[in-house]
Amino acid sequence: MLSHLTLQDFAVVSRAELAFGPGMTVVSGETGAGKSLLVDALMWLTGARADAGIVRHGAERAELAAEFRLSDAPAALDWLRENELDDGDGCQLRRVIRADGGSRAWINGRPATLGQLSELGGLLVEIHGQHEHQALLDRGQQLALLDAFGQHAGLLAEVRELARRWAALDRELGELARAGDVGDRIAWLQHQVEELAAENLDAADLGELAAAHRRQANAAGLLQGCQAALARLAGDEGLSVQRLLHQTRGDLQRLAADEPRLAEVLGLLESAGIQLAEAAAGLERLHDDFDLDPERLRRLEERLARLHELARKHRVPLDALAARRDALQEELDGLSGAGERAAKLGRELDALARDWQAAASRLGQSRAAAAARLGQAVAALMSELGMGGGVFTVALEPLDTTRPAPQGAERCEFLVSANPGQPPRALRKVASGGELARISLAIEVAALGLDAVPTMVFDEVDTGIGGAVAEVVGQKLRALGAERQVLCVTHLPQVAAQGHHHYRVSKAVEADATHSQVEALDPKARVEELARMLGGVEITKEVRANARQMLSRAQES
């Protein structure tokens, strides 16, 4: 529900802030005062293309903002969450239109595209009036309203889900078909997988292979180095570390009798001797393990060469060959079962198509029944709204498609004849703006607001009518206001009196500039405004009494 609307430097409005509540709010004012600007503001806030002409003369930009409470708009709240634009249970739309024609938009303080603004706006506001921006002129909206009227949510959900599943399987089958004859690809994959599977490509094995190759390639140097180290540690010829350590311990032991503190030093030297002996033993074991084996070195080098050649062939690092092997195996497995998968998909598609046809048939039958009920209800209301003898029908046409469609097997068109003897024509081709607006009102009243849009705006729906018909229009709008928030721009007192709330738009000229002001009317001011609408230039006591009586009767009803 719309709760606040703010306009700044918008057309002839320098600044206006309006608060809205539930029920029916009427907007009145003298001709040319700018009462339809509120409707225009909502149009631009819900995605209409920018027009620099709406910027107030002398201003750099026009700013528009609207706040909505979403307790009655679950679809809008879901959309905000899906697009990560939600901010609690409220929503703020803001748009700035510059004098050079550029514009920017925000949803809950975050930049938004006009497409996003239009999508969200369609879930928040529905505008009916004497202009081309009529929601009910769109055939998709007509079908949605018919489904809401017929309470087809369950049937429609089943049809959509079957169509979605069918489309997903059809895409998969198409991908298999585009692959064509995969025999050559399978043969190539089998060769590549067998070639890679012949090698141990585990990371641990590759590491051990590289280490073994380094040891074998450097075996001669390792042997020579170990021999030299053993000679220095425990050699029999010349001075070695062990021999020098032994001699040093002997010399110190002879002196230890005179200096007891040398015992600690002798203990350390003894430990060092043990460690030297262990080091020498370790070198001897390593020395014995080294084997100058040219044949083993050749085999290791051949295997490394094969692996590097495979890595170059598949254009991956050596340590990525295992992942490449697994990927090729996965593709091979998929292609090997392509024929069986295609046949299975074909059978599943046929079954889903039959299920969809059955569900779509049930939906179509329910739609036909709902179309008859809606046509009768709207035609009856048209008669009450001054179009006696008018005809309204909902035509269902089969969709020309071989694919299961998410919306079902048919589309609909609202057909209307406002005058007796005229053949019904598409609602979007009705010439009279006033008739079009009243027909839209009749449709909404008949549907009791079942299209789920929380705020409905009617702009000049009373054009070309008066008297009792005008009072009926007002009553129908008030009845609609019991189900949805209704905003109505009117010039007839019979309609204005039916509102739960009333705004008046007036204009004044100051400093050679025209300004429009919007003010909320209390009961006393409402009587004066209704009297103005009734009496014109001269407002007499009798006119005020008539206005007071009209307002009292409307509010009591």
Side-chain angles (χ1 to χ4, degrees), residues 30 528-540 543-544:
E30 295 180 358
E528 288 298 314
E529 176 64 6
L530 291 177
R532 180 197 66 77
M533 299 169 76
L534 283 166
V537 176
E538 183 178 357
I539 301 176
T540 65
V543 171
R544 285 191 177 91

Side-chain angles (χ1 to χ4, degrees), residues 143 147 156 159-160 163 356 363 367 399 404-411:
L143 186 61
D147 284 332
L156 190 57
V159 168
R160 284 174 174 166
W356 177 88
L363 176 60
R367 279 174 170 168
L399 281 176
Q407 71 270 33
E410 56 275 316
R411 59 181 181 175

Side-chain angles (χ1 to χ4, degrees), residues 58-350:
E60 295 181 357
R61 62 184 181 272
E63 295 192 26
L64 311 172
E67 294 181 18
F68 293 85
R69 293 197 293 270
L70 302 180
S71 57
D72 56 356
L77 188 56
D78 290 342
W79 186 94
L80 288 167
R81 288 169 178 163
E82 289 172 5
N83 289 270
E84 299 181 347
L85 292 169
D86 55 310
D87 186 14
D89 294 330
C91 173
Q92 183 185 67
L93 306 182
R94 179 170 173 254
R95 192 163 181 193
V96 172
I97 302 171
R98 299 191 304 272
D100 61 6
S103 75
R104 296 181 65 191
W106 294 264
I107 297 175
N108 283 332
R110 297 166 215 170
T113 65
L114 281 189
Q116 290 176 314
L117 209 61
S118 180
E119 285 182 28
L120 178 58
L123 301 174
L124 293 170
V125 179
E126 191 172 276
I127 298 176
H128 305 269
Q130 301 179 70
H131 45 68
E132 61 184 359
H133 299 283
Q134 289 251 22
L136 285 177
L137 298 184
D138 179 70
R139 298 186 70 173
Q141 291 288 338
Q142 293 175 3
L143 186 61
L145 191 145
L146 176 64
D147 284 332
F149 180 80
Q151 299 181 332
H152 298 150
L155 290 171
L156 190 57
E158 182 183 5
V159 168
R160 284 174 174 166
E161 176 60 19
L162 289 169
R164 184 196 65 77
R165 289 165 53 193
W166 189 93
L169 291 183
D170 186 59
R171 284 193 298 271
E172 185 177 350
L173 185 60
E175 291 172 1
L176 289 177
R178 283 191 292 273
D181 185 4
V182 296
D184 292 342
R185 179 68 176 174
I186 290 176
W188 182 85
L189 287 170
Q190 286 176 332
H191 174 74
Q192 304 305 317
V193 169
E194 290 171 359
E195 190 176 46
L196 289 169
E199 303 291 340
N200 191 343
L201 301 176
D202 293 339
D205 184 74
L206 291 178
E208 177 58 30
L209 174 63
H213 178 263
R214 286 195 301 272
R215 286 195 302 271
Q216 197 59 235
N218 297 312
L222 288 168
L223 280 169
Q224 184 179 359
C226 286
Q227 289 171 350
L230 277 170
R232 287 192 293 272
L233 284 177
D236 295 331
E237 298 180 2
L239 293 177
S240 67
V241 175
Q242 283 185 332
R243 183 172 297 176
L244 286 172
L245 183 61
H246 182 71
Q247 290 177 355
T248 302
R249 284 182 61 205
D251 293 342
L252 290 176
Q253 281 176 340
R254 287 190 293 272
L255 297 175
D258 299 326
E259 177 52 70
R261 286 178 297 179
L262 287 174
E264 182 180 353
V265 175
L266 288 170
L268 293 172
L269 291 175
E270 183 178 1
S271 297
I274 294 172
Q275 291 178 349
L276 284 173
E278 290 178 352
L283 281 173
E284 287 179 357
R285 288 193 298 272
L286 288 172
H287 180 271
D288 294 342
D289 285 342
F290 291 139
D291 182 15
L292 290 174
D293 186 351
E295 179 60 24
R296 174 169 168 73
L297 177 61
R298 182 186 65 79
R299 291 196 302 271
L300 289 172
E301 288 180 339
E302 286 180 352
R303 186 179 175 205
L304 276 174
R306 287 198 308 273
L307 292 174
H308 283 292
E309 178 61 27
L310 286 172
R312 286 192 295 272
K313 177 180 178 180
H314 292 280
R315 298 180 181 180
V316 296
L318 194 64
D319 57 2
L321 279 173
R324 175 62 173 165
R325 175 200 61 205
D326 295 342
L328 292 173
Q329 182 65 58
E330 183 178 356
E331 183 182 357
L332 178 60
D333 293 342
L335 290 179
S336 297
E340 294 82 355
R341 179 59 179 161
K344 183 180 178 182
L345 285 174
R347 293 191 297 271
E348 291 178 354
L349 280 171
D350 290 341

Side-chain angles (χ1 to χ4, degrees), residues 461-473:
V461 296
D462 47 21
T463 298
I465 63 174
V469 173
E471 187 170 356
V472 172
V473 169

